[in-house]
Amino acid sequence: MSTQQPETQEDDESEGELETTSPAQQQRLEKKRQRAAAREQREAEAAERAAADENTVHLKVFRYDPEVEGKQEPRFDDFYVPFHKGMTVLDALMYARDNYDSSLTFRHSCRQAICGSDALFINGSQRLGCQTQVSDLDDPVRVEPLPHQEVVKDLVVDMEHFYDQMEAVEPYFQTDDLPDDELEEQHQTRENREKVKMSTRCIWCGACMSSCNIAAGDNQYLGPAALNKAYRFAMDEREGADMKQRRLEIIEQEHGVWRCQTQFSCTEVCPKDIPLTEHIQALKREAVKSNLKFW
Ligand code: SF4
Ligand code: FES
């Protein structure tokens, strides 16, 4: 249920209500009905006031809970949240949860675009809730879970498949030869650092994967984030030639780089501005080069 008023204790009395015909019980039930009617009236008036108030943000939030009877049907709930300068969509959601409906469920942690846990579908686009200013959005602000992912509850989606695709490209540094002294630094040239710099910024939020039409239609496609991760290591000069070859074999598979149709949707939504399509194209060139044979 959406509301603009904090939850009260009044509902508690409806629990364990007993059927009875005694005058005392009837009186009590009548009082309860009156309180409920008064509460509904207050809520309706508050909703009217909030809707008319320019300093209020109107949120339309996707709700779904497969485990609670009566909440299994997906729907949108309305919340009217007091606006303040600098308010993000995550701030507004937290206000709604803390003041109106404690069952409203969404992920968040760092609140500074670092942990990647609050990627959402906000006004029709994949964005981080903590990075999106309410003042930049049209009203009402529509908040939905990431498309093309299974919804667990409300705004929380199952990220398991995304993590599996990331793991598939072995997203960690591997070299052919380790230095004799394990404390010896393995240097990288400035030029090489520049080349991979943007690819290292990924925060595993899943926004790119959710925006990709190819990933939506092919569940086995590695997807832009995993391919970007493969780029990050395949282009690192400190990785050995054997490992680079192995990485190229991973990304060249049937559901790898060649599935990308350069639609740029991933690049558009990435909150860390990683040029994902460019990186995938670079991997395609590397794959072609490694397959060229000269007789
Ligand atoms: S590449 Fe960008 S959009 Fe994709 S998971 Fe990483 S940070 Fe998120
Ligand atoms: S809360 Fe961590 S990225 Fe938004």
Side-chain angles (χ1 to χ4, degrees):
M1 185 185 78
S2 68
T3 174
Q4 297 170 292
Q5 296 294 311
E7 290 166 328
T8 70
Q9 298 300 314
E10 291 176 355
D11 285 335
D12 294 348
E13 288 188 31
S14 62
E15 301 294 332
E17 187 179 299
L18 297 174
E19 286 216 350
T20 176
T21 53
S22 80
Q25 287 288 9
Q26 279 178 5
Q27 216 175 11
R28 191 176 71 80
L29 287 173
E30 180 52 31
K31 277 189 183 161
K32 194 169 84 167
R33 267 194 290 275
Q34 285 170 3
R35 282 200 302 273
R39 188 177 66 241
E40 273 173 29
Q41 170 80 14
R42 282 200 307 275
E43 283 184 1
E45 285 170 6
E48 232 169 79
R49 277 198 306 278
D53 186 350
E54 285 181 3
N55 288 322
T56 301
V57 183
H58 179 187
L59 291 180
K60 283 187 101 62
V61 184
F62 178 90
R63 306 300 304 274
Y64 166 70
D65 188 346
E67 291 180 356
V68 176
E69 210 175 313
K71 293 188 175 175
Q72 289 140 342
E73 196 61 37
R75 67 185 193 281
F76 281 87
D77 276 358
D78 297 285
F79 297 99
Y80 295 91
V81 172
F83 174 76
H84 62 79
K85 193 163 175 252
M87 176 181 251
T88 64
V89 172
L90 179 62
D91 292 333
L93 285 172
M94 289 167 75
Y95 187 96
R97 179 197 61 194
D98 296 346
N99 293 277
Y100 303 147
D101 185 346
S102 57
S103 71
L104 178 58
T105 308
F106 48 94
R107 289 194 183 104
H108 65 90
S109 180
C110 69
R111 301 177 67 179
Q112 48 191 317
I114 288 175
C115 73
S117 60
D118 65 336
L120 297 161
F121 197 56
I122 302 169
N123 279 7
S125 183
Q126 285 82 358
R127 314 172 200 236
L128 294 180
C130 65
Q131 198 185 37
T132 307
Q133 291 286 311
V134 166
S135 55
D136 291 340
L137 300 169
D138 288 339
D139 195 71
V141 177
R142 200 176 160 97
V143 190
E144 298 168 73
L146 286 180
H148 308 137
Q149 323 276 347
E150 193 180 327
V151 179
V152 179
K153 183 183 174 190
D154 293 344
L155 301 172
V156 174
V157 294
D158 185 350
M159 296 291 284
E160 215 49 50
H161 175 64
F162 174 76
Y163 296 144
D164 286 347
Q165 303 306 76
M166 294 294 261
E167 290 298 330
V169 297
E170 302 179 9
Y172 37 85
F173 185 64
Q174 299 175 71
T175 180
D176 293 343
D177 304 302
L178 279 173
D180 295 336
D181 180 353
E182 63 177 23
L183 293 179
E184 190 183 322
E185 290 176 6
Q186 297 179 59
H187 293 287
Q188 179 182 31
T189 60
R190 278 178 190 277
E191 295 72 29
N192 189 241
R193 170 65 193 161
E194 276 304 308
K195 187 171 185 174
V196 299
K197 187 173 81 178
M198 291 305 284
S199 64
T200 65
R201 300 180 60 177
C202 178
I203 55 173
W204 295 49
C205 69
C208 54
M209 186 83 145
S210 162
S211 77
C212 175
N213 285 340
I214 313 303
D218 175 1
N219 205 31
Q220 293 180 61
Y221 174 43
L222 286 171
L227 290 171
N228 173 69
K229 196 54 89 176
Y231 172 96
R232 185 260 170 274
F233 292 106
M235 298 300 180
D236 192 313
E237 63 188 3
R238 295 166 299 175
E239 272 217 333
D242 292 348
M243 192 53 217
K244 179 166 179 175
Q245 189 54 37
R246 182 168 149 63
R247 280 197 197 284
L248 291 177
E249 281 163 18
I250 294 172
I251 56 111
E252 263 195 284
Q253 53 155 300
E254 189 186 347
H255 301 278
V257 274
W258 303 111
R259 287 281 154 141
C260 172
Q261 294 182 5
T262 54
Q263 293 181 352
F264 287 93
S265 54
C266 54
T267 304
E268 275 170 26
V269 301
C270 177
K272 305 309 279 186
D273 298 326
I274 302 171
L276 295 162
T277 314
E278 207 177 284
H279 289 170
I280 296 173
Q281 295 304 96
L283 283 179
K284 286 179 183 173
R285 287 194 291 276
E286 287 298 311
V288 170
K289 275 196 271 175
S290 76
N291 284 314
L292 284 179
K293 293 194 172 39
F294 300 98
W295 287 275

